[in-house]
């Protein structure tokens, strides 16, 4: 009788161990599939952002379409924080002679001033273009950069806030053509459609 109970108990424990292993494997596979889905979703978002930037570049007089990240060391911004801006991607117009990698390196990571922070806040608050007319704008870091690069006008659009990592993402659309403010209907439509597409691509990563 004891031997029979031992056999039953051993068989039962084997079944329990099998179920536990099977459940564990299912959980691991589910997590892996979830990570794979998120990775593919992220890759698609990168492609969509790049395509939207290309579309803006091809349908406007813009010489440069630049995606930037604004953040500090990853902590909550507070008085005393050092804020930086960093280039993520850039699309160049036909007349921009600077190599793409040189521009990305130039904007690799630079310390920004109060005026730059105010600009990001305003673009985020209104969800509209912050219009930067270089000749008329008060002195600031970005004006010095634009003068050095002979940029005459730029629009800055806020496209995403990462509240987990305390990062802001902005899109800069600029031209070196005197008097150009992207008021043409085709250019305006391309910018509006492109900016919304980029916002949706960023938002989709969290959905």
């Amino acid at each position: 009788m004891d031997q029979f109970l031992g056999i039953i108990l051993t068989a039962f424990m084997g079944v329990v161990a099998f179920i536990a292993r099977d459940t564990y494997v299912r959980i691991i596979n589910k997590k892996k599939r979830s990570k794979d889905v998120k990775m593919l979703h992220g890759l698609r978002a990168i492609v969509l952002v790049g395509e939207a930037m290309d579309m803006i570049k091809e349908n406007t007089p813009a010489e440069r379409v630049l995606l930037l990240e604004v953040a500090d060391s990853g902590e909550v911004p507070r008085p005393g924080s050092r804020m930086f801006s960093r280039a993520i991607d850039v699309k160049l117009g036909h007349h921009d002679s600077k190599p793409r990698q040189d521009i990305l390196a130039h904007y690799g990571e630079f310390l920004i001033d109060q005026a730059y922070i105010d600009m990001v806040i305003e673009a985020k608050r209104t969800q509209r273009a912050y219009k930067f007319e270089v000749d008329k704008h008060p002195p600031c870091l970005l004006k010095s950069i634009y003068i050095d690069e002979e940029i005459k006008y730029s629009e800055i659009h806020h496209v995403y806030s990462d509240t987990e990592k305390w990062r802001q993402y902005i899109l800069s659309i600029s031209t070196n053509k005197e008097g150009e403010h992207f008021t043409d209907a085709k250019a305006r439509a391309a910018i509006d459609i492109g900016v919304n597409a980029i916002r949706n691509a960023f938002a989709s990563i969290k959905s």
Side-chain angles (χ1 to χ4, degrees), residues 110-113 115-116 132 138-147:
F110 57 96
L111 186 66
I112 59 177
D113 60 5
Y116 198 108
F132 199 112
C140 63
L141 171 67
L142 191 55
K143 179 170 183 172
S144 298
I145 293 173
Y146 281 163
I147 290 174

Side-chain angles (χ1 to χ4, degrees), residues 131-142:
K131 299 180 179 182
F132 199 112
E133 296 185 56
V134 178
D135 288 343
K136 297 180 181 179
H137 203 282
C140 63
L141 171 67
L142 191 55

Side-chain angles (χ1 to χ4, degrees), residues 15-26:
V15 171
V16 170
F18 173 80
I19 293 173
R21 282 197 303 270
D22 183 65
T23 302
Y24 175 77
V25 170
R26 287 174 183 270

Side-chain angles (χ1 to χ4, degrees), residues 4-199:
F4 177 73
L5 289 175
I7 293 171
I8 295 297
L9 183 59
T10 300
F12 176 74
M13 294 302 294
V15 171
V16 170
F18 173 80
I19 293 173
R21 282 197 303 270
D22 183 65
T23 302
Y24 175 77
V25 170
R26 287 174 183 270
I27 292 172
I28 293 299
N29 287 340
K30 185 177 180 180
K31 287 183 177 180
K32 185 176 183 299
R33 285 194 298 271
S34 178
K35 287 182 179 180
D36 287 343
V37 169
K38 287 182 179 179
M39 180 186 71
L40 291 174
H41 209 161
L43 291 173
R44 290 193 191 100
I46 291 172
V47 172
L48 289 173
V49 169
E51 289 177 346
M53 292 173 68
D54 276 326
M55 189 271 292
I56 293 172
K57 180 199 70 175
E58 295 297 333
N59 291 280
T60 70
E63 284 303 319
R64 191 175 298 173
V65 182
L66 188 64
L67 180 66
L68 300 121
E69 176 188 83
V70 179
D72 63 356
S73 58
E75 300 296 329
V76 182
R78 57 174 58 87
S81 294
R82 289 162 58 86
M83 301 296 295
F84 296 87
S85 185
R86 178 173 70 92
I88 303 297
D89 195 9
V90 64
K91 305 294 182 179
L92 304 177
H94 302 297
H95 303 293
D96 197 323
S97 59
K98 292 186 178 180
R100 178 176 179 273
Q101 291 304 318
D102 286 0
I103 293 173
L104 289 175
H106 181 67
Y107 287 94
E109 184 174 88
F110 57 96
L111 186 66
I112 59 177
D113 60 5
Q114 183 62 51
Y116 198 108
I117 296 172
D118 286 341
M119 177 187 72
V120 174
I121 292 171
E122 182 67 11
K124 174 176 169 52
R125 183 186 68 81
T126 63
Q127 289 297 290
R128 294 184 178 182
Y130 181 96
K131 299 180 179 182
F132 199 112
E133 296 185 56
V134 178
D135 288 343
K136 297 180 181 179
H137 203 282
C140 63
L141 171 67
L142 191 55
K143 179 170 183 172
S144 298
I145 293 173
Y146 281 163
I147 290 174
D148 183 59
E149 298 189 340
E150 300 182 349
I151 290 172
K152 305 299 182 183
Y153 176 78
S154 178
E155 286 188 3
I156 291 84
H157 297 260
H158 180 273
V159 293
Y160 187 66
S161 293
D162 187 335
T163 55
E164 292 182 4
K165 297 181 179 179
W166 306 102
R167 295 172 181 171
Q168 304 294 324
Y169 293 87
I170 59 174
L171 189 75
S172 168
I173 306 167
S174 58
T175 180
N176 54 17
K177 184 178 178 182
E178 196 74 53
E180 178 60 63
H181 291 165
F182 307 135
T183 53
D184 176 76
K186 178 185 175 183
R188 197 73 261 153
I191 291 172
D192 291 344
I193 292 170
V195 168
N196 284 330
I198 292 170
R199 285 172 176 162

